[in-house]
Amino acid sequence: MSISAFALIFLTIYVGLAQLDALSLKIGLFSPVFGGAATGLVMGNLKTGLIVGATLQLATLGVATYGGATVPDFLSGSIMGSAFAIMSGRGAAYGIGLAIPIGLLLTQMDILARMTNTIFQHHADRLALKGDYKGVERNNLYGIIPWTVSRMLPVFVGLFFGSAVVKAINAWIPAWLMVGLKTAGIILPAMGIAILMRYLPIKRYYPYFILGFVLMAYFTKSFSLLGTALVGFVFAAIHVMEANERKHNGGHGNGPSKPDNGGNDSGSSDDEEVEIDV
């Protein structure tokens, strides 16, 4: 299977817009799960695209460009990985295995885009000294070019030669390496969940965590992910309401109550809501 001209153009434009979204509004287009879903949608296999994108999304939890650091381009990886998985017909695990090295390789394109963008920014600084604010605006807009091209060009080239690339990869990759790639694809979701758990107060609220695990592990025919999330929301709402009620009744909320000026050890006033650390 080869990619259609429409899908090629759409995905090339999409990755450029998604990169702009990552630098500005952040409505979600830049997320790997969106990239995989968009690829699967236009190529007629939404399920594979979602699996590849969602797996890479788990791998990027807690990862950001703090201090200007460069991180793997898993957006482009999710698009090309999903496309290659669909074109080759070898499943999502194959696409995930390819998406990881693609994302790591395209890290260099991110660095190149940042370096190129400094040319426009230094020019804008010189124009600012001259009071040419229109020139400053133009150069800030010119910075869009390296950011978008650094993503659009690799995706276009990779997808344009996709059929040949997939055949070459299929013929070249040994069986033992394919097993390793599939194993990595299976491990990645667990790693993403482990990273997420590091940021959550699991020790404090472990009963809720165990309940969610039991529902998804033993009652998959009765509960979906959305259903489990709604159950968790119910318990969280009950927890908050009970804590606020104890606070209003003069009991102990998250800490000892303090006496007011009149000596009445009643904690906070009725208008004060207790803050729950979640």
Side-chain angles (χ1 to χ4, degrees):
M1 177 182 179
S2 60
I3 189 169
S4 66
F6 169 77
L8 176 63
I9 296 173
F10 175 85
L11 293 175
T12 301
I13 295 175
Y14 174 87
V15 75
L17 294 176
Q19 179 57 32
L20 291 181
D21 178 51
L23 299 172
S24 56
L25 298 177
K26 296 185 181 297
I27 61 176
L29 296 178
F30 64 95
S31 301
V33 66
F34 275 80
T39 304
L41 187 63
V42 298
M43 295 190 66
N45 193 335
L46 179 59
K47 180 179 179 180
T48 297
L50 281 172
I51 294 174
V52 174
T55 302
L56 294 176
Q57 186 73 49
L58 287 173
T60 61
L61 291 175
V63 177
T65 57
Y66 301 115
T70 298
V71 299
D73 183 12
F74 282 147
L75 168 63
S76 300
S78 68
I79 292 175
M80 287 193 278
S82 300
F84 289 161
I86 295 170
M87 286 190 291
S88 66
R90 300 184 66 173
Y94 176 76
I96 295 168
L98 291 179
I100 296 170
I102 289 173
L104 294 173
L105 179 62
L106 293 184
T107 300
Q108 309 306 318
M109 295 298 294
D110 182 79
I111 296 173
L112 181 61
R114 293 171 186 267
M115 293 176 59
T116 307
N117 189 40
T118 59
I119 298 174
F120 300 115
Q121 299 309 310
H122 287 315
H123 191 205
D125 289 338
R126 292 192 293 270
L127 293 175
L129 293 175
K130 298 178 182 179
D132 185 1
Y133 71 92
K134 289 290 186 181
V136 174
E137 291 178 350
R138 285 196 304 271
N139 278 270
N140 283 330
L141 292 176
Y142 292 157
I144 293 175
I145 298 173
W147 278 113
T148 54
V149 171
S150 67
R151 269 65 177 183
M152 295 174 69
L153 183 61
V155 168
F156 178 84
V157 172
L159 296 181
F160 182 78
F161 297 101
S163 179
V165 170
V166 171
K167 291 180 180 178
I169 291 174
N170 288 338
W172 176 78
I173 293 182
W176 62 266
L177 183 57
M178 277 303 304
V179 173
L181 291 175
K182 289 182 178 180
T183 303
I186 295 172
I187 293 175
L188 273 177
M191 184 182 69
I193 291 295
I195 294 174
L196 178 62
M197 289 171 61
R198 292 281 296 176
Y199 293 93
L200 297 176
I202 296 296
K203 292 182 180 179
R204 185 174 182 180
Y205 301 108
Y206 70 90
Y208 303 129
F209 175 78
I210 295 175
L211 175 62
F213 174 80
V214 170
L215 291 177
M216 291 303 298
Y218 297 99
F219 300 96
T220 53
K221 294 183 178 180
S222 302
F223 276 91
S224 63
L225 185 61
L226 177 60
T228 304
L230 291 174
V231 171
F233 176 78
V234 170
F235 278 99
I238 292 174
H239 180 86
V240 171
M241 289 188 293
E242 288 183 349
N244 283 328
E245 185 177 356
R246 289 196 302 269
K247 191 69 175 179
H248 292 161
N249 292 336
H252 296 287
N254 283 340
S257 58
K258 298 180 181 180
D260 57 20
N261 294 334
N264 181 18
D265 187 11
S266 58
S268 304
S269 64
D270 289 342
D271 295 331
E272 181 182 355
E273 296 289 330
V274 64
E275 295 182 0
I276 307 300
D277 180 17
V278 294

